[in-house]
Amino acid sequence: MKVSATSIPLTDLDVDFLLLPLAQDALGTMRATLAETLGPMAERAMQDFSGEEGEAISFYPDGARARRAALIGLGAADAVDAERLRQAAATGAKLAVEREAQNVAVRLPAAGPPSETAGQALTEGFMLATYRFLKYKTEPAAFVEPDRLILHVDEDDRDVRRGAERGRAVAEAVRTARDLVNLSPDEKTPTLLARAVEKLGKKHGFEVSVWDKALIEEEEMGGLLAVNRGSPEPPVFMELTWRPERAANETPVVLVGKGVVFDTGGLSLKSTKGSMDQMKADMAGAAAVIGAFEALARLDVPLYVVGLIPATDNRPGENAYVPGDVLRMHSGKTVEVLNTDAEGRLILADALSYAATYRPDLVIDLATLTGGQVVALGSDTAALMTNDRDGAADRLTAMEAAGRRSGDWVHRLPMDAVYGKLLESDVADIKNVGGREASSITAAKFLEHFVDYPWMHLDIAGPAFLATEKPYRPKGGTGFGVRVLVDFLRDYASPKKVR
Ligand code: BES
Ligand code: MN
Ligand code: ZN
């Protein structure tokens, strides 16, 4: 999709659909202006319009060149934020798609955030709402994707352009993550996933190195190898590098993504309905990291970032690891496996202890780790946890703020030592399950055993994959995590923050 900005008179905009997001408070002044520029039909539409959030009224702008137009409610002016603009753009996108519009213009509302933020938010909302995953549909789809989005501003404004460009790069990165999550499991074996990531690295300009099973054995990644034992497909371990010349940091920020390409539960088998049937999404953490790298490279973010992705499926094959197995992990610690369905933490643990070799500034992992996260926070908000090392409170605040701004909401959970007690093992250093209570926290406590640097963990089990659509998130893979990571890292890269 092409995205541009213009400040030609609204009347002259030659588009299939013109979207006009309006706040309640702006209606009085806008009524006359719109009637004047778009014609009497606009005035009549305005009479039926209250500006309430979510409201949308379509009309034929008889005084303008645009074929169709719609008023879209933003609610109270002082409550218009980036998220509300994303949702308004999504509402408009739905109308435009219904009418098979090719060129769509959105007018920047007077209310709300500064024009750069507004341009980014409107572009994201529009491009994320017009995403469809049609790879496996053999009938030609009754869906025409708009091919041009034009942001209309009253006065020429470089900030809008910059915002729109960033919004496009971010939205495309989110779409990449969605595509990977939605892919059929047999087309994303660890080896095929690695190939896809290599292609993306070439296209966007980040480095990718892929370790095969022999290298993983050499590194003694006991967790990754154990989870992989029941699978006919070998595991891979990917290292992604984005190191621009003007990077502000010497030691990297490391992103780790859970890459379980399918989670059957292993011998502790899941039941199919509502449990196993969505487990192709168990690599959504990896997809978020991959999407974030695409965006970092395209936006040329001046930060040295490394991505680590352990990838395997989790299956009950004849050689599968069993409850009772004691594993020796990459770090040297031993783990008693009591449930083979708690596999994510095992592969992440190896990646996290390997991350220490970089002497990282900060490590952030993303994982569809626990059903408990879905129970606690649902599918709108991911769980955020950290260890108690330099600046814990500040980084929690920074990540939650990035979540708010980006629309990928995250919220902290406690990490007090009491939760760690639930992992005590009779035979090994720790066991891999902590029981039913506080399972998201005990999973994070498990990971904490493998980190010795500032670290944050995002459990995205709920938000990563939807059974029912949300305004600009369709059913299936959402690409959750890409936007909050990009927002957090851009902020982190600003000179005052880098140590
Ligand atoms: N991949 C699942 C977690 C999950 C559940 C993701 C629902 C998305 C939606 C993970 O590997 C898992 O099975 N977790 C178990 C751990 C338990 C056995 C300790 C869980 O949370 O039930
Ligand atoms: Mn599992
Ligand atoms: Zn899993």
Side-chain angles (χ1 to χ4, degrees), residues 258 260 263 265 268 270 274-275 278-279 281-282 314 339-345 368-374 432-435 439-440 442 459-462 465:
K258 172 178 173 182
V260 172
D263 183 12
S268 313
K270 289 182 186 294
S275 175
Q278 296 187 353
M279 283 304 135
D282 214 17
N314 181 27
N339 189 325
T340 63
D341 199 9
E343 85 297 341
R345 62 197 73 184
T368 46
L369 205 59
T370 63
Q373 185 279 326
V374 194
N432 78 328
V433 285
S439 66
S440 304
T442 54
D459 191 335
I460 62 170
F465 193 91

Coordinates of all heavy atoms in Angstrom, one line a residue, residues 258 260 263 265 268 270 274-275 278-279 281-282 314 339-345 368-374 432-435 439-440 442 459-462 465, ligand 1:
K258 N 10.1 -16.8 21.8 CA 9.8 -18.3 21.8 C 9.3 -18.7 20.4 O 8.4 -18.2 19.9 CB 8.6 -18.5 22.8 CG 8.1 -19.9 22.8 CD 7.0 -20.1 23.9 CE 6.3 -21.5 23.8 NZ 5.2 -21.7 24.8
V260 N 8.2 -21.9 19.4 CA 7.7 -23.3 19.3 C 6.7 -23.3 18.1 O 5.6 -22.7 18.2 CB 7.0 -23.7 20.6 CG1 6.2 -25.0 20.5 CG2 8.0 -23.8 21.7
D263 N 2.9 -26.6 19.3 CA 2.9 -27.2 20.7 C 1.8 -28.1 20.9 O 0.6 -27.7 21.1 CB 2.8 -26.0 21.7 CG 2.9 -26.5 23.1 OD1 3.3 -27.7 23.3 OD2 2.7 -25.7 24.0
G265 N 2.0 -30.2 23.3 CA 2.1 -30.5 24.8 C 3.1 -31.6 25.0 O 3.5 -31.8 26.1
S268 N 2.7 -34.9 27.7 CA 1.7 -34.3 28.5 C 0.7 -33.6 27.5 O 0.6 -32.4 27.5 CB 2.2 -33.3 29.5 OG 3.4 -33.8 30.2
K270 N -1.9 -32.0 25.0 CA -3.0 -31.1 25.1 C -4.3 -31.8 24.6 O -4.2 -32.7 23.7 CB -2.8 -29.8 24.3 CG -1.7 -28.9 24.9 CD -1.6 -27.6 24.0 CE -0.5 -26.7 24.4 NZ -0.6 -26.1 25.8
G274 N -10.0 -25.9 21.7 CA -9.7 -24.7 22.5 C -8.4 -24.7 23.2 O -8.1 -23.9 24.0
S275 N -7.6 -25.7 22.8 CA -6.3 -25.8 23.5 C -5.2 -26.1 22.5 O -4.3 -25.2 22.3 CB -6.4 -27.0 24.6 OG -5.1 -27.2 25.2
Q278 N -5.0 -23.9 18.5 CA -4.4 -22.6 18.2 C -2.9 -22.6 18.4 O -2.2 -21.6 18.3 CB -5.0 -21.6 19.1 CG -6.5 -21.4 18.9 CD -7.0 -20.2 19.7 OE1 -6.4 -19.6 20.5 NE2 -8.3 -19.9 19.4
M279 N -2.3 -23.8 18.5 CA -0.9 -23.8 18.9 C 0.1 -23.7 17.8 O 1.3 -23.7 18.0 CB -0.6 -25.1 19.7 CG -1.1 -25.0 21.1 SD -0.4 -23.6 22.0 CE -1.8 -22.9 22.8
A281 N 0.3 -20.9 16.8 CA 0.7 -19.5 17.2 C 1.7 -19.5 18.3 O 2.1 -18.4 18.8 CB -0.6 -18.8 17.7
D282 N 2.3 -20.7 18.6 CA 3.2 -20.7 19.8 C 4.6 -20.2 19.4 O 5.5 -20.3 20.2 CB 3.2 -22.2 20.3 CG 3.5 -22.2 21.8 OD1 3.2 -21.1 22.5 OD2 3.9 -23.2 22.4
N314 N 6.9 -29.2 19.6 CA 6.9 -30.0 20.8 C 5.9 -31.1 20.6 O 4.7 -30.9 20.5 CB 6.4 -29.1 22.0 CG 6.3 -29.8 23.3 OD1 7.1 -30.8 23.5 ND2 5.5 -29.4 24.2
N339 N 6.2 -31.7 33.6 CA 5.1 -31.6 32.6 C 5.8 -31.1 31.3 O 6.4 -30.1 31.2 CB 4.1 -30.5 33.0 CG 2.9 -30.5 32.2 OD1 2.9 -30.7 31.0 ND2 1.7 -30.2 32.8
T340 N 5.7 -32.0 30.2 CA 6.3 -31.7 29.0 C 5.6 -30.5 28.2 O 6.2 -30.1 27.2 CB 6.4 -32.9 28.0 OG1 5.1 -33.3 27.7 CG2 7.1 -34.1 28.7
D341 N 4.5 -30.1 28.7 CA 3.8 -29.0 28.1 C 4.3 -27.6 28.6 O 4.0 -26.6 28.0 CB 2.3 -29.1 28.4 CG 1.4 -28.3 27.4 OD1 2.0 -27.8 26.4 OD2 0.2 -28.1 27.7
A342 N 5.2 -27.7 29.6 CA 5.9 -26.4 30.0 C 7.2 -26.4 29.3 O 8.3 -26.4 29.9 CB 6.0 -26.4 31.5
E343 N 7.1 -26.3 27.9 CA 8.3 -26.5 27.1 C 8.9 -25.1 26.7 O 10.1 -25.0 26.5 CB 7.9 -27.2 25.8 CG 7.3 -26.3 24.7 CD 6.0 -25.7 25.0 OE1 5.3 -26.2 25.9 OE2 5.6 -24.7 24.3
G344 N 8.1 -24.1 26.7 CA 8.5 -22.8 26.3 C 9.7 -22.3 27.1 O 10.7 -21.8 26.7
R345 N 9.5 -22.4 28.5 CA 10.5 -21.9 29.4 C 11.8 -22.7 29.2 O 12.9 -22.1 29.6 CB 9.9 -22.0 30.8 CG 9.6 -23.4 31.3 CD 8.7 -23.5 32.5 NE 7.4 -23.1 32.2 CZ 6.4 -23.0 33.1 NH1 6.6 -23.2 34.4 NH2 5.2 -22.7 32.7
T368 N 4.5 -16.8 24.1 CA 3.2 -17.3 24.4 C 3.4 -18.4 25.5 O 3.3 -19.5 25.2 CB 2.5 -17.9 23.2 OG1 3.5 -18.7 22.5 CG2 2.1 -16.8 22.2
L369 N 3.6 -17.9 26.7 CA 4.1 -18.8 27.7 C 3.1 -19.6 28.5 O 3.3 -20.8 28.8 CB 5.1 -18.1 28.6 CG 6.2 -19.0 29.2 CD1 7.0 -19.7 28.2 CD2 7.1 -18.3 30.1
T370 N 2.1 -18.9 29.0 CA 1.1 -19.5 29.9 C -0.3 -19.2 29.7 O -0.7 -18.1 29.3 CB 1.4 -19.1 31.4 OG1 1.2 -17.7 31.5 CG2 2.8 -19.4 31.8
G371 N -1.2 -20.3 29.9 CA -2.6 -20.1 29.9 C -3.0 -19.1 31.0 O -4.0 -18.4 30.9
G372 N -2.2 -19.1 32.0 CA -2.5 -18.2 33.2 C -2.6 -16.7 32.8 O -3.3 -15.9 33.3
Q373 N -1.7 -16.3 31.8 CA -1.8 -15.0 31.3 C -3.1 -14.6 30.7 O -3.6 -13.5 30.9 CB -0.6 -14.7 30.3 CG -0.5 -13.3 29.8 CD -1.5 -12.9 28.8 OE1 -1.9 -13.7 27.9 NE2 -1.9 -11.7 28.8
V374 N -3.7 -15.6 30.0 CA -5.0 -15.3 29.3 C -6.1 -15.1 30.4 O -7.0 -14.3 30.3 CB -5.4 -16.5 28.4 CG1 -6.5 -16.1 27.5 CG2 -4.2 -16.9 27.6
N432 N 10.2 -27.8 36.3 CA 9.7 -26.9 35.3 C 8.3 -26.4 35.4 O 7.8 -25.7 34.6 CB 10.0 -27.5 33.9 CG 9.0 -28.5 33.5 OD1 8.4 -29.2 34.4 ND2 8.7 -28.6 32.2
V433 N 7.6 -26.8 36.5 CA 6.2 -26.3 36.7 C 6.0 -25.9 38.1 O 6.6 -26.5 39.0 CB 5.1 -27.4 36.3 CG1 5.0 -27.5 34.8 CG2 5.4 -28.7 37.0
G434 N 5.2 -24.9 38.3 CA 5.0 -24.4 39.7 C 3.6 -24.7 40.2 O 3.2 -24.2 41.2
G435 N 2.7 -25.3 39.4 CA 1.4 -25.6 39.8 C 0.4 -24.6 39.2 O 0.8 -23.8 38.4
S439 N 0.5 -19.1 37.6 CA 1.4 -19.8 36.7 C 2.2 -18.9 35.8 O 3.3 -19.3 35.4 CB 0.6 -20.8 35.9 OG -0.3 -20.1 35.0
S440 N 1.7 -17.7 35.5 CA 2.5 -16.8 34.6 C 3.7 -16.3 35.4 O 4.8 -16.1 34.9 CB 1.7 -15.6 34.2 OG 0.5 -16.0 33.6
T442 N 5.2 -17.9 38.1 CA 6.1 -19.0 38.3 C 6.9 -19.3 37.1 O 8.1 -19.6 37.1 CB 5.5 -20.3 38.9 OG1 4.5 -20.7 38.0 CG2 4.9 -20.0 40.3
D459 N 4.7 -12.0 28.6 CA 3.9 -13.2 28.3 C 2.7 -12.7 27.4 O 1.8 -12.0 27.9 CB 3.4 -13.8 29.6 CG 2.8 -15.2 29.3 OD1 2.3 -15.5 28.2 OD2 2.8 -16.0 30.3
I460 N 2.7 -13.1 26.1 CA 1.7 -12.6 25.2 C 0.8 -13.7 24.7 O 0.2 -13.6 23.6 CB 2.5 -12.1 23.9 CG1 3.3 -13.1 23.2 CG2 3.4 -10.9 24.3 CD1 3.8 -12.7 21.8
A461 N 0.6 -14.7 25.6 CA -0.3 -15.9 25.2 C -1.7 -15.4 24.7 O -2.1 -15.9 23.7 CB -0.4 -16.8 26.4
G462 N -2.3 -14.5 25.4 CA -3.7 -14.1 25.0 C -3.6 -13.2 23.8 O -4.3 -13.4 22.8
F465 N -3.0 -14.1 19.5 CA -3.8 -14.8 18.6 C -5.3 -14.7 19.0 O -5.6 -14.9 20.2 CB -3.5 -16.3 18.6 CG -4.0 -17.1 17.5 CD1 -3.3 -17.3 16.3 CD2 -5.3 -17.8 17.6 CE1 -3.9 -18.0 15.2 CE2 -5.8 -18.5 16.6 CZ -5.1 -18.7 15.4
Ligands
BES1 N1 2.0 -22.5 24.7 C1 1.4 -22.8 25.9 C2 0.7 -21.6 26.6 C3 -0.5 -21.0 25.9 C4 -1.7 -21.3 26.3 C5 -0.3 -20.1 24.8 C6 -2.8 -20.8 25.7 C7 -1.5 -19.6 24.2 C8 -2.7 -19.9 24.7 C9 2.5 -23.3 26.9 O1 3.5 -24.0 26.3 C10 1.8 -24.2 27.9 O2 1.4 -25.2 27.5 N2 1.8 -23.7 29.1 C11 1.2 -24.5 30.2 C12 2.2 -24.6 31.3 C13 1.8 -25.6 32.3 C14 1.8 -27.0 31.8 C15 2.7 -25.4 33.5 C16 0.0 -23.7 30.7 O3 0.1 -22.5 30.9 O4 -1.1 -24.3 30.9

